[in-house]
Amino acid sequence: MSGENILSLIDLHVSADSTPILKGVSINFEKNKVHAIVGPNGSGKSTIAKAIMGFPDYKVTRGDILYKGESILDKTITERARMGIALAFQNPPVIKGVKLDKFICKICRDCQRASDNRSGRHLGEADKCTPDLTDGFRKLLIENLKDRDINDGFSGGEIRRSELFQVISLKPEVMILDEPDSGLDYDSLKLVGRTLKEIRDAGKTTMIIITHSRYILEYLEADKVFIIDKGRKVFDGDKSILPQLEEFGYKEFLNRNKLR
Amino acid sequence: MADKKELAFKAKDKKSPIGADIDLNVFKSEIRETSSESDIKQIAVEERRIMENVGVNPEEKKTAGIYVQIDQNRVFYNSLTQKAEILPIKEAIEKYEWLKDYYWNAVNVDADKYTSAVELELHNGYFIRARRGQRIREPVQACLMLKTGNIKQNIHNIIIVEENAELHLVTGCVSPNILEPALHLGITEFYVKKNAKLTFTMIHRWGKRTLVRPRSAAIVEEGGVFINNYIILSDVGDLQTYPTVYLKGENSKAELYSVIYGTGKSIYDVGGRIILEAEGAKGKIVSRTIGADESIIYARGHLIGKRSGCRAHLECNGLLLSDKSRLTAIPELEAETTGVELSHEATIGKIEQEQLTYLMSRGLSEEEANSLIVRGFMTINVPDLPPTLQKTVDDAIRLTKLSGF
């Protein structure tokens, strides 16, 4: 299996607050495949997502991140987003006074095409959003969030679905989902799983999923599974390792499968 | 009236406890004769444009009437419905003997040198009343324009909403960007009668050196509702105001909202005070202040509970955009008896990096992200505001050129 790599981490070292978190991670993400990043709490999984997105507090101290063959280290978050990288946040901040539906309307690719003079567009004016928007809210069962301030008082499950919807609206080439399934009840889990499956089946998006859930990875038929531990990639394989991982836990699993 | 003049005269040098003291003598009076007419088409195109900046549009079809005053003496007014009456205050005093019971009743004539100055030299102002039982959904518009430099503009307004009536009034106070200093003194007395409802939306847009000292108060009777919505998004020389609402009737209600976007080297001192004097009275004060450039903002709020069974909440939120700006929130709660429920919440913060990161990851530029956060912060949904007025407010916020980052 040697598809085209859309995104590559090369010997990536990342520090936050001058504390090293990632200590040399190399991973190739293949175009339009599903990649899982798993590992114990605090191992640096989320840091990988944040470093790819370009969070300013996460400094790349060594190594590189290549997107479509070119380094994106000097690109701003905005630039990376516009290049086609999107991240569903685990703990997104509240944005007071900005309604979720108006916001999605502002950021969504289709809406931007629909009204071409972006500079002249204002929030609240973009009511002519494609019916997709209303549809999306309904499909994800978050119609109640439409005219709420972004993330204000959202439950964990509501955040997951709102994040997923926003990321989908961006039509990204690379979609990074940081624990898209945490805090979901069974029904929501199914809903999110089904939505992600649709994206996978459409085959036009590279997915990077950070999760602890065997269910979602098996359901999505993850192509690759990487285990991160203590800031390093300690294992790569495919979804066939998931049952063992669940049975033994990370520590025992890694002991049994000594590096590579 | 003679008594009032006397009281005013005695208070002519009385300093206000809050705000820098202004030397009133440096501002001139206009020589122009008083004129008043009902043909609003006589307003110059250039003046109309200035009015539109504060949400006043005489062409607007959905309006119940209009009052426009330019500088001291040019007045245009026109009531488009029998349900409301609009008159220049000078004419109203002549016409109605009973108006003396309202004139300087909510506001004390000798409160300070500014109230005094308005009594001693009145230029004009509006008298607006919604007649008993009339519910007027279309807003009445008023505009007070200060166009000429170095002059003063002394205004006295009286608004009466009679029993069971409903009135929505939007007032734009505006100065085109004149470089000379000018002074605006505005007295406004609101009377909300039994089961009546008034929403008062005021949008200010002043010049860099305009000095502004409004003095207003409201008296709300049983079951009455008074909603005050104040917005200033422009430079100003120095502005200080502290409107007071007296909830005198049982189950009366007052809500005061203000949005202040401080720019340049302006000084804004804006308060709100609600005195709950009756059982079941309810009050709410919400202010949002944004400090950009080198602006200085004081957000004051004062709740006084005098009767058991009344309830009020105060909320002051500030957002600091510049290291050179200063925000001060001064909330005060005062209970004079048991059974009074008062609460407050005051915060001052800045735009969090986390918020910027989040919005930028959705493809917004840093500047777009900043302005979205600020505009969101300024957004207050005022209950009971007719949609056209909410739009006026939203437009004012939307069209503000944000500075400070």
Side-chain angles (χ1 to χ4, degrees), chain A residues 81-181:
Chain A
R82 290 182 182 171
M83 288 165 87
I85 302 172
L87 168 66
F89 283 51
Q90 204 185 349
N91 299 305
V94 173
I95 312 289
K96 278 265 185 208
V98 182
K99 306 285 174 222
L100 183 63
D101 60 344
K102 299 263 157 56
F103 180 62
I104 293 185
C105 204
K106 187 183 173 78
I107 62 170
C108 97
R109 282 289 150 85
D110 291 346
C111 304
Q112 282 170 16
R113 272 186 218 111
S115 67
D116 228 343
N117 59 337
R118 274 203 76 193
S119 55
R121 249 158 42 91
H122 302 284
L123 264 192
E125 217 171 59
D127 293 318
K128 300 165 220 73
C129 254
T130 55
D132 290 8
L133 193 62
T134 325
D135 231 44
F137 275 108
R138 203 176 40 235
K139 267 169 81 178
L140 285 165
L141 298 177
I142 46 172
E143 279 167 297
N144 61 315
L145 302 182
K146 259 175 146 173
D147 60 351
R148 294 255 301 270
D149 290 354
I150 301 173
N151 302 324
D152 192 11
F154 288 16
S155 72
E158 285 171 339
I159 284 178
R160 301 296 149 250
R161 284 175 284 163
S162 148
E163 285 297 302
L164 181 58
F165 189 24
Q166 290 181 46
V167 164
I168 290 171
S169 304
L170 290 166
K171 298 237 155 95
E173 292 183 62
V174 175
M175 185 182 275
I176 309 167
L177 306 159
D178 195 354
E179 302 206 14
D181 46 5

Side-chain angles (χ1 to χ4, degrees), chain B residues 104-108 111-112 114-115 118 126 155-159 173 184-191 198 200 202 204 212-219 226 228-230 239-246 256 270-275:
Chain B
W104 296 120
N105 178 35
V107 177
N108 287 330
D112 57 27
Y114 311 112
T115 55
V118 175
Y126 53 75
I155 303 272
H156 196 143
N157 304 315
I158 291 186
I159 296 129
C173 293
H184 171 91
L185 300 178
I187 309 300
T188 307
E189 299 184 272
F190 303 93
Y191 298 93
L198 170 64
F200 179 72
M202 184 146 77
H204 275 184
V212 186
R213 290 290 183 270
R215 295 291 180 258
S216 37
I219 293 176
F226 174 60
N228 186 72
N229 190 14
Y230 175 66
L239 176 147
Q240 187 268 319
T241 184
Y242 208 146
T244 300
V245 182
Y246 301 89
L256 312 179
V270 176
R273 180 182 288 123
I274 301 178
I275 303 174

Side-chain angles (χ1 to χ4, degrees), chain B residues 39 76 95 152-153 174 182 201 209 219 264 278 305 307 312 351:
Chain B
D39 186 4
F76 305 83
K95 187 172 175 184
K152 53 191 168 187
Q153 183 184 46
V174 62
T201 299
R209 296 181 66 188
I219 293 176
R307 276 294 290 272
I351 295 179

